Amino acid sequence: MRIDDEFFRRTRTLKSFSYTLIAMWAAAVFGLLLWGISKTTEATRRVAVHVAQAHFDKDRAFRLWASSHGGVYVPVDNRTSPNPHLKHVPERDLQTPSGKELTLVNPAYMLRLLHEEFADLYGVAGHITSLKPLRPENQPDDWEKIALLAFERGEKEAAEFTDINGQPYLRFIRPLHAEKDCLKCHGNYKEGDIRGGVGIALPLKNLLEIQRSEIQTQIVSHGSIFLIGLVGIVLGVRRLEKREDERDQAQQALGASERKYRLLFDDSRDGVFMSSRAGELLEANQSVFDMFGYTAEEMIGMDVHRLYVDGADRAKYQGAVEKTGSVKDYEVRFRKRDGTLLDCLLTSNVRLGEDGSVVGYQGIIRDVTRQKKAEEALEKQASELQRSNADLEQFAFVASHDLQEPLRNVTSCVQLLAKRYQGKLGSDADQFMSYALESVTRMKDLINDLLTYSRLGTKGKPFKPTNCEEVLNLVLANLDSAISRTEAVVTRDPLPTVTGDPTQLTQVFQNLISNAIKFQRKDAAPVIHVSAASNGDQWTFSVKDNGIGIESQHLIRIFMIFQRLHTRTDYEGTGIGLAIVKKIVDRHGGRIWVESERGSGTTFYFTLPN
């Protein structure tokens, strides 16, 4: 399975897991909310029942107190009239000495009066009922009739949550037993008989308001818990997604690294190998097989000792690589399958086992046979070139030495002729002798410059720190007469210290400045400026003048030997000066170039390493 497919599969699984987790969390929180609401509802019902029981117990306490006293005498008025159901009681009605009429109120009558007159005060409506009521008002309704019948079967109480006139109520009823004190008024019952029931109707509005408030609180709290959990799940899933993404990126990077390694391994032009310490070739790329002329099947598992021209080289290589853990460009000579010798460089390191011991080697084999042959050829050519240069220098020296003698003789003869016959042989003879003397002098200068040019590469001094300020001071001193004669102005910026040959650098500045003085305009004195700028690891020098300039088509050949752009009658020189400057700059590892326009001056640039 590809990494991308595996990533998408894990992503789908993670999303499914997150959706499942959210659904489970929602179900859990919703279930707890429903359980809490049911418990709150149940608690409200229990409280309502307890309140009803309390009211019932309060009424029963009143009734028991009154029945224990045989009833209570109260004044007769428009609210309380004699109870017609107590006509058989001899002392139902009494008159006080003051003439106030009193009537006997039995417990049931008293309770009925309390319920009728103080229902608004207590908020609870009461009702005494019976299957055999003495009063029509005590006739039971359907629910009370069912409850009274249940009492006769032994039930202790009955309750019902219902609506009365559109308002929620709890109806609660308990049996009313005939007690000893009750027989005075209810002689048709025996003690313990169920006379009926006493019921109350408890309004639930306040309790339901409390219940609704509690349920709202539960909804808010559970909603908050759900949201907190949801945020936690989302953050957790995102963290997992981030980890999965990081894992996928790591796997992709690993896959890319493996592919890159495989690509480098298989497509490397150098041989890549892995071998055991004993010498078994464990793995190699195609370049190794091509290098030695074997197939992969033939080489994998081969004892590499067979490949060494000298078997002792294998032990030497092992000693070298195990001594430091790695070797670089270790020279080894191998033999191909066809017997051809290979000069190779090994760059490898040891492979360690779990116990830290050396178990093998791995690295790169580079075939440098052609390179080595090329180097040998170059060394041979360099040796031959050096010998040729020495011969050329010797030739130049001998030639200049041998030419100097006849030139001196010619010069002496011409000078002698001029001394003896000047003005005696005619003007043409005088002119011819002048031409001859000038040509001999020019020939002497050419020979000296040629000898100087030939010796630049071999007779130079070792490089050392050279203060270019001091070099320029020496040049200006050497050119003092020319500067004074032409009224030249030479300015400069601060010059650095570079590594070079002080004598040859003096030649460079002196040639460039003397040229700037020589090729001046007829209408202006020479103005020359020398400067230097740092460019990283080198300095760029410039010598700028206001001279006659150089036409652009001639810029490419001014550094060639014996190249002159002007006649000797106009400007002196042999045409070797700038060639000497270029050769010196080349020897110092720099380069030289020129920028100029005819009539606008010339700037020579050259670079020198720091």
Side-chain angles (χ1 to χ4, degrees):
M1 180 180 292
R2 296 187 309 169
I3 293 177
D4 290 343
D5 295 337
E6 176 65 17
F7 172 72
F8 288 131
R9 186 190 64 80
R10 291 200 309 270
T11 301
R12 288 195 299 269
T13 302
L14 187 59
K15 287 184 177 179
S16 299
F17 170 75
S18 63
Y19 294 151
T20 302
L21 190 60
I22 291 173
M24 292 175 62
W25 176 246
V29 174
F30 185 69
L32 288 174
L33 176 61
L34 292 180
W35 180 80
I37 292 175
S38 66
K39 288 297 181 181
T40 300
T41 303
E42 182 181 343
T44 301
R45 290 174 175 264
R46 285 200 304 270
V47 170
V49 171
H50 288 318
V51 171
Q53 290 173 342
H55 280 285
F56 184 88
D57 291 338
K58 178 259 299 178
D59 292 344
R60 185 166 181 267
F62 277 123
R63 193 173 63 253
L64 289 176
W65 180 82
S67 62
S68 65
H69 290 81
V72 178
Y73 285 95
V74 299
V76 177
D77 55 19
N78 57 354
R79 291 183 305 162
T80 305
S81 58
N83 188 347
H85 300 289
L86 297 180
K87 289 189 298 182
H88 62 282
V89 177
E91 296 178 346
R92 186 191 73 170
D93 300 312
L94 296 177
Q95 188 174 24
T96 64
S98 63
K100 181 180 289 187
E101 292 186 355
L102 300 177
T103 185
L104 179 63
V105 177
N106 65 327
Y109 188 28
M110 180 182 66
L111 188 58
R112 178 170 60 82
L113 293 175
L114 287 173
H115 285 167
E116 291 175 354
E117 295 189 19
F118 300 104
D120 294 336
L121 178 64
Y122 292 106
V124 179
H127 184 227
I128 296 177
T129 185
S130 174
L131 294 174
K132 301 175 182 179
L134 298 178
R135 299 176 63 248
E137 293 85 354
N138 292 344
Q139 189 71 30
D141 58 20
D142 293 339
W143 180 79
E144 289 174 332
K145 185 181 294 184
I146 294 173
L148 293 175
L149 292 174
F151 293 156
E152 292 182 354
R153 295 193 301 268
E155 295 292 336
K156 302 299 183 182
E157 63 184 22
E160 178 190 38
F161 291 91
T162 185
D163 287 343
I164 300 176
N165 298 324
Q167 296 295 323
Y169 276 84
L170 168 63
R171 297 186 67 184
F172 184 83
I173 188 170
R174 280 184 176 176
L176 181 61
H177 293 89
E179 298 175 358
K180 182 178 181 180
D181 295 330
C182 299
L183 299 179
K184 175 180 179 182
C185 301
H186 300 277
N188 56 334
Y189 288 97
K190 299 193 301 287
E191 185 177 356
D193 289 345
I194 296 177
R195 294 170 41 206
V198 179
I200 60 174
L202 177 68
L204 299 177
K205 181 178 179 181
N206 294 336
L207 288 177
L208 291 179
E209 286 293 336
I210 296 174
Q211 174 181 294
R212 277 192 293 271
S213 176
E214 179 66 22
I215 290 175
Q216 289 175 354
T217 301
Q218 289 179 352
I219 292 173
V220 172
S221 61
H222 282 73
S224 300
I225 292 173
F226 173 74
L227 291 177
I228 293 173
L230 182 62
V231 170
I233 292 172
V234 171
L235 292 178
V237 170
R238 287 186 177 178
R239 187 172 182 181
L240 288 175
E241 288 177 344
K242 183 178 180 180
R243 287 185 178 179
E244 286 295 324
D245 186 55
E246 291 174 350
R247 178 182 174 185
D248 176 64
Q249 291 178 359
Q251 287 183 341
Q252 288 183 347
L254 179 60
S257 178
E258 290 177 350
R259 289 191 296 271
K260 183 177 180 182
Y261 164 77
R262 202 70 244 175
L263 184 64
L264 290 173
F265 185 86
D266 293 335
D267 295 346
S268 174
R269 298 181 64 182
D270 293 327
V272 183
F273 73 93
M274 182 183 297
S275 67
S276 68
R277 192 166 187 267
E280 180 184 0
L281 184 64
L282 303 176
E283 190 173 355
N285 66 350
Q286 187 62 41
S287 295
V288 172
F289 308 142
D290 296 340
M291 188 183 302
F292 288 93
Y294 291 93
T295 64
E297 292 75 12
E298 290 171 334
M299 285 205 75
I300 299 301
M302 177 188 290
D303 186 351
V304 297
H305 290 85
R306 294 172 49 188
L307 303 175
Y308 285 82
V309 174
D310 184 352
D313 285 346
R314 171 67 179 179
K316 293 178 182 178
Y317 160 73
Q318 286 182 293
V321 72
E322 292 186 13
K323 182 178 180 180
T324 59
S326 64
V327 292
K328 183 178 181 181
D329 295 338
Y330 185 87
E331 294 187 11
V332 179
R333 176 163 283 192
F334 292 110
R335 180 179 287 107
K336 296 176 65 173
R337 182 175 187 174
D338 60 5
T340 305
L341 300 183
L342 293 176
D343 289 306
C344 297
L345 296 179
L346 290 181
T347 298
S348 63
N349 58 276
V350 297
R351 294 170 47 242
L352 302 179
E354 294 182 356
D355 59 354
S357 61
V358 177
V359 297
Y361 316 100
Q362 61 188 13
I364 296 173
I365 307 174
R366 177 168 294 174
D367 181 4
V368 293
T369 305
R370 292 183 180 178
Q371 179 182 339
K372 195 164 185 179
K373 289 180 179 179
E375 289 175 353
E376 291 174 353
L378 286 175
E379 289 178 1
K380 184 177 180 180
Q381 290 177 359
S383 178
E384 292 176 354
L385 181 60
Q386 185 176 5
R387 184 170 61 253
S388 176
N389 287 337
D391 293 343
L392 181 61
E393 183 183 351
Q394 182 67 21
F395 169 77
F397 176 76
V398 171
S400 63
H401 182 273
D402 292 345
L403 289 174
Q404 292 285 1
E405 183 62 25
L407 281 175
R408 281 193 294 268
N409 291 334
V410 173
T411 302
S412 298
C413 291
V414 173
Q415 289 176 343
L416 184 59
L417 285 172
K419 183 177 180 180
R420 289 184 180 183
Y421 300 103
Q422 186 76 33
K424 298 179 179 181
L425 300 177
S427 60
D428 289 341
D430 291 343
Q431 187 175 8
F432 292 153
M433 286 187 287
S434 175
Y435 286 161
L437 186 59
E438 181 181 346
S439 297
V440 170
T441 303
R442 183 166 178 265
M443 184 64 179
K444 183 179 179 180
D445 291 341
L446 282 171
I447 291 172
N448 288 333
D449 286 348
L450 181 60
L451 184 59
T452 299
Y453 184 80
S454 67
R455 289 180 172 180
L456 284 176
T458 59
K459 299 299 182 181
K461 296 180 180 179
F463 289 177
K464 65 179 182 179
T466 302
N467 189 330
C468 292
E469 291 278 357
E470 297 177 358
V471 169
L472 186 57
N473 289 337
L474 178 59
V475 169
L476 296 180
N478 294 340
L479 299 175
D480 182 64
S481 61
I483 293 173
S484 299
R485 176 173 49 81
T486 60
E487 298 181 350
V489 177
V490 181
T491 59
R492 61 182 171 186
D493 293 335
L495 301 180
T497 295
V498 299
T499 301
D501 182 338
T503 301
Q504 291 186 346
L505 292 181
T506 301
Q507 287 180 277
V508 170
F509 282 103
Q510 187 158 323
N511 269 286
L512 295 177
I513 294 175
S514 64
N515 279 350
I517 294 173
K518 181 192 304 183
F519 298 104
Q520 70 179 96
R521 295 206 308 264
K522 294 180 179 180
D523 59 344
V527 177
I528 304 163
H529 183 71
V530 182
S531 64
S534 176
N535 295 309
D537 58 351
Q538 67 179 9
W539 287 92
T540 300
F541 293 84
S542 66
V543 178
K544 183 178 182 180
D545 65 50
N546 65 336
I548 62 174
I550 306 170
E551 294 180 355
S552 58
Q553 66 267 28
H554 300 312
L555 295 179
I556 193 172
R557 61 189 184 93
I558 62 172
F559 295 110
M560 298 179 183
I561 192 169
F562 299 132
Q563 293 295 316
R564 290 178 51 82
L565 306 182
H566 309 277
T567 64
R568 182 170 176 81
T569 57
D570 295 330
Y571 300 97
E572 297 180 352
T574 62
I576 299 180
L578 289 178
I580 290 174
V581 169
K582 183 178 186 306
K583 195 167 184 179
I584 291 173
V585 172
D586 289 343
R587 180 181 177 235
H588 283 73
R591 65 187 186 94
I592 187 169
W593 68 98
V594 62
E595 294 179 358
S596 180
E597 290 185 9
R598 185 68 177 174
S600 299
T602 301
T603 302
F604 283 90
Y605 296 93
F606 63 94
T607 63
L608 294 175
N610 286 338

